[in-house]
């Protein structure tokens, strides 16, 4: 078997990432050697592979669904927004420069097509099947000429295309029809059919619409996936949470002790790797919320200042909002604060940045004895160590180089009182360390909170991936999906006018 499939979507956030992961987990449970692929990813949530390459976290999660190690081949182009108009371009895991959207789509993107196709060919030469994820919508006709992630990759690699639509948003039939009708005849030949995502209710009520859609397009629907709570796994194109709401939609399990712990995460601009707090949200009795006002820190037992692609900009935002003063007061009162990566840099004394913001010398909040200088070379590592008597694994993605001049050592950063800072992402996924850290937080906050002794974040993640595989196995036509992956799009699919503009 040398199969392949491109999972496209009618919109961003239609569910491409989780559907791709679900198909990967379903296939691997059938004994298929499968790998994920996304030619071009725009995300501030990234991961470091064992060889020291930076890729999107969604592809790292999909690799876990495949039960394989992620590599740079799975996400050859990663765009990390630095503002409304520009992004850092990461090629094969390494940053190669900053480009405006116009500069990227104006020529640079198309030049990367050869690299993208080489990576896909290498994966297809190693695995039985490669499940590719598109980006946004394949019907973005203004970008089709330089597209390398949707129909551009499908055409060049002759991949069948499955279009996912989020019915919970409404208008899914129009979205399916319009997506196909805005593609050229050559692109339409590869669009095999549709997959309905996030359906609530009685499927029999939907079936007449699916039959009419088949009659209008000549394309079948390969499944109707029901709405499920708590399936937000390492997505990429934005917060899958309301910045004023709780993390995801999952119900917080009751605490083991008498109290809950309340965690407030500062919703700073260009927030990166906010997935760091997922391990906290998975703990029974821990309530995690994103906040943007100083008064929302008042009843928090722990405040997290997360990573960001714009440290100086985030620092300015904290000052404008009054959150900076609230953090300084909190640190002086020995109330727990945790800074991760950019958040760690913000808590320091001084920032020298001629790379990211080019703002030069900027004073930090001054609650940790740290001076930060931004280097042009990005640090990409997978460190291991010990803290609070427990083994810790993490990963680092940053330009800032920290000179720690005091405090107690803490994961290559430092601790002063109840203020902690580290460049390590992912440290809270280490179960023993997370429990030890939460015990410290609870003691400092005066809470009778007890970490659940048996919580395994890795096991919870595996359960989520199995739930995605179950959705595909139970609610998709897997026989037809298998034929699609193995044999490609059906022959003779009709053209739907008007097609793409000339």
């Amino acid at each position: 078997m040398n199969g392949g499939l491109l999972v496209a979507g009618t919109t961003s956030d239609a569910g491409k990432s989780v559907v791709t992961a679900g198909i990967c987990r379903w296939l691997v449970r059938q004994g298929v050697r499968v790998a994920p692929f996304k030619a071009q990813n725009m995300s501030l949530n990234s991961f470091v592979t064992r060889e020291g390459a930076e890729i999107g976290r969604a592809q790292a999660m999909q690799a876990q669904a495949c039960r394989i190690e992620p590599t740079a081949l799975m996400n050859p182009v990663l765009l990390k927004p630095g503002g409304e108009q520009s992004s850092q371009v990461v090629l094969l895991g390494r940053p190669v420069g900053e480009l405006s959207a116009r500069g990227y789509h104006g020529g640079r993107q198309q030049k990367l097509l050869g690299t993208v196709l080489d990576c896909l060919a290498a994966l297809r030469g190693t695995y039985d099947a490669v499940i590719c994820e598109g980006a946004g919508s394949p019907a973005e006709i203004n970008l089709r000429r330089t597209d390398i992630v949707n129909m551009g990759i499908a055409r060049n690699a002759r991949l069948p295309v499955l279009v996912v639509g989020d019915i919970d948003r409404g208008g899914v039939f129009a979205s399916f029809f319009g997506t196909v009708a805005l593609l050229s005849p050559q692109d339409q030949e590869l669009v095999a059919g549709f997959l309905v995502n996030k359906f609530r209710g009685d499927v029999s009520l939907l079936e007449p619409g699916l039959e009419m859609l088949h009659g209008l397009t000549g394309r079948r629907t390969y499944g109707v996936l029901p709405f499920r709570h708590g399936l937000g796994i390492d997505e990429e194109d934005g917060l899958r949470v309301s910045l004023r709401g709780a993390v995801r939609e999952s119900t917080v399990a009751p605490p083991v002790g008498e109290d809950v712990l309340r965690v407030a995460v500062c919703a700073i601009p260009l927030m990166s790797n906010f997935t760091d707090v997922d391990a906290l949200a998975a703990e029974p009795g821990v309530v995690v919320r994103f906040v943007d006002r100083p008064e929302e820190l008042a009843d928090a037992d722990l405040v997290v200042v997360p990573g960001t692609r714009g440290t100086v900009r985030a620092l300015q935002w904290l000052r404008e909002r009054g959150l900076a003063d609230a953090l300084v007061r909190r640190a002086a009162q020995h109330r727990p604060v945790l800074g991760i990566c950019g958040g760690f840099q913000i808590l320091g004394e001084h920032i020298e940045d001629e790379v990211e913001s080019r703002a030069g010398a900027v004073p930090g909040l001054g609650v940790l004895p740290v001076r930060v200088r931004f280097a042009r070379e990005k640090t990409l590592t997978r460190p291991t160590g010990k803290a609070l008597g427990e083994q810790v694994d993490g990963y680092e993605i940053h330009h800032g180089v920290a000179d720690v001049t005091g405090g107690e050592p803490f994961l290559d950063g430092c601790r002063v009182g109840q203020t902690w800072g580290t460049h390590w992402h992912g440290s809270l996924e280490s179960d023993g360390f997370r429990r030890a850290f939460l015990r410290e937080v609870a003691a400092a906050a005066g809470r009778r909170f007890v970490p659940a002794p048996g919580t395994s974040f890795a096991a919870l993640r595996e359960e989520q991936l199995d739930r995605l595989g179950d959705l595909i196995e139970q609610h998709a036509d897997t026989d037809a999906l298998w034929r699609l992956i193995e044999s490609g799009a059906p022959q003779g699919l009709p053209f739907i006018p008007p097609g793409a503009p000339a």
Side-chain angles (χ1 to χ4, degrees), residues 324-348:
D325 290 339
L327 287 167
V328 171
R329 286 194 302 271
R330 185 181 180 91
Q333 295 164 357
H334 298 284
R335 301 181 65 199
V337 177
L338 172 64
I340 302 174
C341 199
F344 168 43
Q345 297 164 7
I346 285 168
L347 295 175

Side-chain angles (χ1 to χ4, degrees), residues 260-265 287 289 291 293-303 330 333 335-336 441 445 447:
V260 299
L261 274 187
R262 296 172 176 83
V263 179
V265 185
V287 182
R289 294 179 65 83
V291 302
R293 296 197 301 247
E295 58 267 27
E296 293 175 298
L297 306 188
D299 66 346
D301 302 306
L302 169 68
V303 174
R330 185 181 180 91
Q333 295 164 357
R335 301 181 65 199
V441 169
R447 297 287 185 188

Side-chain angles (χ1 to χ4, degrees), residues 243-262:
L243 290 184
R244 303 191 56 75
V247 172
R248 301 209 178 107
E249 298 160 320
S250 55
T251 302
V252 177
V256 174
E258 297 180 44
D259 288 343
V260 299
L261 274 187
R262 296 172 176 83

Side-chain angles (χ1 to χ4, degrees), residues 55 121 142 280 299 307 343-344 408 487:
I55 65 171
N142 55 313
L280 293 178
D299 66 346
F344 168 43
E408 300 175 44
S487 304

Side-chain angles (χ1 to χ4, degrees), residues 385-392 408-411 415 420 432-441:
K386 293 194 76 171
L388 303 178
E390 300 287 346
Q391 181 67 31
V392 189
E408 300 175 44
F410 173 68
L411 300 180
R415 170 190 182 181
W420 318 63
F433 166 71
R434 182 179 64 254
R435 288 192 278 268
F437 177 70
L438 289 176
R439 282 192 290 269
E440 291 250 358
V441 169

